[in-house]
Amino acid sequence: MWPCVCHLQPLLTLISFAFLTRGENCPATCLCPDPHTVDCSGRGLTRLPDDIPLDVRRLLLSDNWIPHIPEDFFLLYSDLVYLDLRNNSLSQIDPGTLSTSSRLVFLDLGSNNLTEIPQGAFGESQSLIKLRLDNNPHLSQVNEHAFQGLTSLRELELERNALSGLEVEALSELPSLRLVRLEGNPWVCNCNFANFFNWLIENSHKLPNGMECSLPPDGHQVSLSQLSQDSFRECQNSLTLTDLLIIIFSGISVSLVAILASFFLASTVHCFQLFKGSKGDDEDE
Ligand SMILES: *[C@@H]1O[C@H](CO)[C@@H](O)[C@H](O)[C@H]1NC(C)=O
Ligand SMILES: *[C@@H]1O[C@H](CO)[C@@H](O)[C@H](O)[C@H]1NC(C)=O
């Protein structure tokens, strides 16, 4: 019996040590309901806790006051699959921060204070399936390559931001997109919107909640479903710089020809009168 227990002792020590360190690894202010989840939501945090275990997969940080994601965050926590930073004070995403987040499947940055989504903001997050960027009241700029590399992204939430327009490439570069929420933005259906409108019509089944936009010049709100390609027909007729140059050049040419023609006509009339005058003199004689 004894030798057997003695053999087991190192193993027992190791197991209890693993359990103890797991307990110790949970940041003091947070809960760790299972070995891979750290729940620090609603703890009044103004920055990320230091002592998050490096093998964390689900990190819940919603309802805090965190203003910034450190650039090496995803280098440290490279196993992260699920990151909830909803309702914090993030004002920007530094390009490169998410470039190593290759396992991330779910990212919630909704209800923050983001103002723009720069080119390649999410790096090559090839596993990302759901991205929430809603309810950022100052978010007015989304770069046309903001979502590049998100080859698995199925759901994108951009509702209730400050977007008045969007480059169509931002969405058309997402091969797996199934659902996009865009409602509650101050969209303006002017000529810049025409390309995006065509994409929206072709992909209307991906917009469960539709959207509204304001029509110039008086800005009254219409639902997208009330508009058709015809609503933007004037935009195709609108003039480009080349068109304007051609018009100006033709105008000048026509004027020049007209002046030359008048001059020629006047000369002809004058000659004719001179000729008639001299003929009359001859007849008088
Ligand atoms: C956002 O977080 C703050 C701070 O924890 C909290 O008081 C507030 O209720 C949260 N808002 C929402 C909509 O959950
Ligand atoms: C959010 O961002 C805007 C524009 O950058 C700024 O004016 C405002 O003070 C910010 N609000 C908070 C709560 O940080």
Side-chain angles (χ1 to χ4, degrees):
M1 280 292 279
W2 281 112
C4 189
V5 171
C6 288
H7 274 300
L8 278 178
Q9 202 148 18
L11 189 69
L12 288 174
T13 316
L14 203 71
I15 291 172
S16 56
F17 181 73
F19 272 105
L20 275 177
T21 48
R22 182 155 290 153
E24 279 167 9
N25 266 352
C26 192
T29 50
C30 309
L31 298 171
C32 300
D34 64 66
H36 294 293
T37 303
V38 176
D39 180 356
C40 311
S41 48
R43 306 282 153 153
L45 300 175
T46 51
R47 61 190 192 88
L48 293 163
D50 292 323
D51 40 3
I52 302 171
L54 293 178
D55 60 352
V56 64
R57 292 191 198 153
R58 273 168 60 90
L59 182 53
L60 314 178
L61 290 163
S62 60
D63 304 329
N64 284 297
W65 308 102
I66 297 166
H68 185 235
I69 310 176
E71 262 181 53
D72 58 358
F73 183 72
F74 284 96
L75 279 175
L76 284 176
Y77 305 109
S78 54
D79 288 344
L80 263 183
V81 170
Y82 187 105
L83 177 60
D84 184 354
L85 273 162
R86 192 170 190 82
N87 189 21
N88 273 279
S89 312
L90 300 174
S91 58
Q92 64 181 51
I93 307 169
D94 296 330
T97 305
L98 287 119
S99 60
T100 45
S101 58
S102 57
R103 297 199 179 144
L104 200 63
V105 168
F106 174 92
L107 177 61
D108 193 341
L109 300 177
S111 294
N112 273 280
N113 202 20
L114 301 174
T115 54
E116 70 166 321
I117 310 295
Q119 171 164 2
F122 304 98
E124 300 280 309
S125 301
Q126 285 163 358
S127 308
L128 197 63
I129 290 181
K130 181 160 181 165
L131 176 58
R132 304 185 76 180
L133 292 167
D134 56 294
N135 287 286
N136 282 273
H138 301 280
L139 177 51
S140 58
Q141 302 287 327
V142 172
N143 185 277
E144 62 183 313
H145 303 303
F147 307 122
Q148 78 187 7
L150 303 185
T151 46
S152 305
L153 193 71
R154 293 171 73 94
E155 295 187 22
L156 176 61
E157 297 188 356
L158 281 168
E159 75 272 20
R160 280 183 277 285
N161 291 319
L163 298 168
S164 58
L166 190 64
E167 295 294 332
V168 64
E169 288 79 10
L171 301 184
S172 63
E173 278 182 356
L174 294 169
S176 308
L177 193 67
R178 297 282 174 281
L179 183 143
V180 55
R181 291 188 58 181
L182 299 167
E183 73 273 12
N185 281 286
W187 301 112
V188 180
C189 278
N190 57 15
C191 284
N192 295 334
F193 198 84
N195 276 338
F196 185 37
F197 178 81
N198 290 340
W199 185 90
L200 288 168
I201 293 303
E202 283 163 24
N203 294 274
S204 56
H205 56 284
K206 296 179 185 169
L207 279 80
N209 297 31
M211 60 190 262
E212 288 194 335
C213 65
S214 60
L215 276 184
D218 59 345
H220 80 269
Q221 290 281 320
V222 290
S223 155
L224 206 66
S225 55
Q226 288 171 271
L227 297 175
S228 67
Q229 253 125 358
D230 273 357
S231 317
F232 294 91
R233 197 184 324 155
E234 271 180 37
C235 298
Q236 288 157 12
N237 297 340
S238 69
L239 301 176
T240 63
L241 184 64
T242 332
D243 297 338
L244 276 177
L245 285 178
I246 290 172
I247 291 172
I248 291 170
F249 182 73
S250 341
I252 292 172
S253 319
V254 168
S255 315
L256 273 179
V257 170
I259 290 167
L260 286 177
S262 331
F263 183 73
F264 179 73
L265 202 68
S267 320
T268 320
V269 170
H270 186 64
C271 287
F272 184 70
Q273 274 173 348
L274 277 182
F275 174 72
K276 206 177 152 196
S278 61
K279 214 176 166 194
D281 286 350
D282 290 350
E283 272 168 18
D284 282 353
E285 277 171 25

